[in-house]
Amino acid sequence: MVDQLTFTKENQERIHAVENSFGPLGRPLSQPGRVLIGEGRLMKLCRRGPQPKVFFLFNDVLVYGSIILNRRLHKKQQIIPLEDVQLEDLEDSVRMRNQWLIRTPRKSFYVSASSYEEKRAWMEHVEECKSRLLQSSGRTPGSAFAVTWIPDQASAICMRCSDKFSLTQRRHHCRRCGFVVCGACSKKRAVIAHIHPTKCVRVCNMCHASLSGTEAENQETCRVRGDSTGKMSSDGDEAEGSSEEEEAEEQMEDLNPGRWMHSQMDSWSPYMYIKPEHLKPRTCTYTS
């Protein structure tokens, strides 16, 4: 009983610390039965290049955000229910090591750890927590996932009309197929339910034409936004976080995914703890 009470108190203190690190804009994380299993930093491949992100693994959700002050302040909190997470292991390449793919309904993205052991710990604990959650709650695992975007530098031309990209002809991504397309080929918007049930997101003309049934009806309610350069208004599409963040990422060019493992990982010292005993508070007590 003492061990259980001690664990419960320390677990709540850790969760409150995570809440506070995201400041007033972060959503509450404390709720009955929630346990913080592990935390650490991973490199997330973004359109602006590789970025270190802080990740928190709970027994029912995966939370991550941007780092403002090392281990103290974070922003742009993202919360993903574990039943909506699907992991795909990826082999090392010459330039990319210890990487894997995290699929979610709203956004799928690549992450990388500083070592193979850290990668395996993350993947195994996420899968274990997801399995326990599904068994104990009766929840249904997600079946619809966002496509992974083709990296900007994979194509120097629009993958629909073949126009060459330049400073004025910017790259964009279709949320349905993940292709790199120009503004003229991606002016249309459509509702893709697993990305967002009500908001319209950017799709290329070909995907827009292929939508049918309810999707086609929904897209008729979406305004076609954007000027001749394809720049979107502030109420534009959203795949993750705020529309402002999405627009900032849309404006980024010249990402070379081949060098992302070398640009920051070598000079970046990640930290991580994973405490499997958190799953068994009746017999084990957390020690710092």
Side-chain angles (χ1 to χ4, degrees):
M1 179 62 72
V2 173
D3 285 349
Q4 175 67 32
L5 292 174
T6 301
F7 169 82
T8 300
K9 180 181 178 181
E10 293 185 346
N11 178 62
Q12 285 301 312
E13 290 174 350
R14 290 191 294 271
I15 293 178
H16 284 312
V18 176
E19 285 181 336
N20 293 336
S21 74
F22 284 99
L25 297 181
R27 285 177 284 172
L29 294 171
S30 298
Q31 57 178 251
R34 178 166 288 171
V35 177
L36 178 60
I37 303 298
E39 66 180 62
R41 287 179 290 170
L42 299 171
M43 298 297 286
K44 177 177 178 288
L45 182 56
C46 306
R47 287 199 66 187
R48 64 175 66 87
Q51 298 290 326
K53 303 287 184 179
V54 62
F55 281 76
F56 300 95
L57 175 60
F58 295 84
N59 59 335
D60 61 337
V61 294
L62 182 65
V63 177
Y64 72 92
S66 300
I67 300 170
I68 301 177
L69 183 63
N70 186 29
R71 298 187 67 173
R72 294 180 182 274
L73 296 178
H74 309 116
K75 63 179 181 177
K76 297 179 181 177
Q77 180 194 63
Q78 305 294 331
I79 303 176
I80 310 171
L82 284 185
E83 65 265 26
D84 289 339
V85 172
Q86 183 183 78
L87 305 184
E88 180 180 339
D89 195 0
L90 299 174
E91 295 291 334
D92 286 354
S93 66
V94 174
R95 295 179 176 179
M96 298 173 68
R97 306 182 301 273
N98 310 316
Q99 58 171 328
W100 70 100
L101 176 62
I102 299 179
R103 300 183 192 274
T104 79
R106 297 188 64 186
K107 195 176 187 71
S108 298
F109 51 90
Y110 297 94
V111 295
S112 178
S114 63
S115 68
Y116 176 79
E117 291 74 20
E118 187 173 309
K119 167 187 171 178
R120 297 314 313 172
W122 271 110
M123 295 189 70
E124 289 172 6
H125 281 85
V126 169
E127 294 287 10
E128 182 179 358
C129 289
K130 177 181 176 180
S131 177
R132 288 174 177 266
L133 176 67
L134 294 176
Q135 291 176 7
S136 63
S137 67
R139 300 181 188 178
T140 303
S143 58
F145 301 98
V147 297
T148 52
W149 292 358
I150 294 174
D152 285 5
Q153 292 301 312
S155 182
I157 61 175
C158 173
M159 300 178 74
R160 292 304 186 194
C161 72
S162 298
D163 277 1
K164 187 175 181 179
F165 292 120
S166 65
L167 291 177
T168 56
Q169 183 76 310
R170 295 184 178 277
R171 292 172 171 84
H172 300 279
H173 278 87
C174 172
R175 272 50 171 180
R176 190 166 184 261
C177 66
F179 278 19
V180 184
V181 292
C182 68
C185 289
S186 60
K187 285 187 175 182
K188 303 293 181 65
R189 304 290 184 270
V191 171
I192 301 178
H194 61 268
I195 293 179
H196 199 290
T198 58
K199 291 190 177 182
C200 302
V201 296
R202 182 188 295 272
V203 294
C204 68
N205 296 342
M206 184 173 293
C207 285
H208 185 271
S210 69
L211 293 172
S212 61
T214 302
E215 286 183 319
E217 293 175 4
N218 286 338
Q219 64 182 298
E220 292 303 322
T221 66
C222 300
R223 290 181 296 159
V224 177
R225 294 181 292 272
D227 56 22
S228 59
T229 66
K231 186 175 180 180
M232 294 166 51
S233 61
S234 60
D235 62 341
D237 55 329
E238 175 183 347
E240 174 189 64
S242 66
S243 58
E244 290 79 6
E245 178 185 5
E246 177 99 357
E247 285 309 301
E249 292 191 358
E250 281 285 10
Q251 300 297 326
M252 297 298 171
E253 297 188 20
D254 299 326
L255 166 62
N256 184 348
R259 69 168 184 259
W260 76 286
M261 284 302 299
H262 292 303
S263 63
Q264 295 187 45
M265 184 65 82
D266 291 340
S267 61
W268 173 61
S269 300
Y271 75 94
M272 179 177 177
Y273 78 82
I274 289 289
K275 296 289 185 181
E277 62 266 27
H278 286 184
L279 298 175
K280 303 175 182 179
R282 295 184 184 278
T283 58
C284 297
T285 302
Y286 172 79
T287 57
S288 57

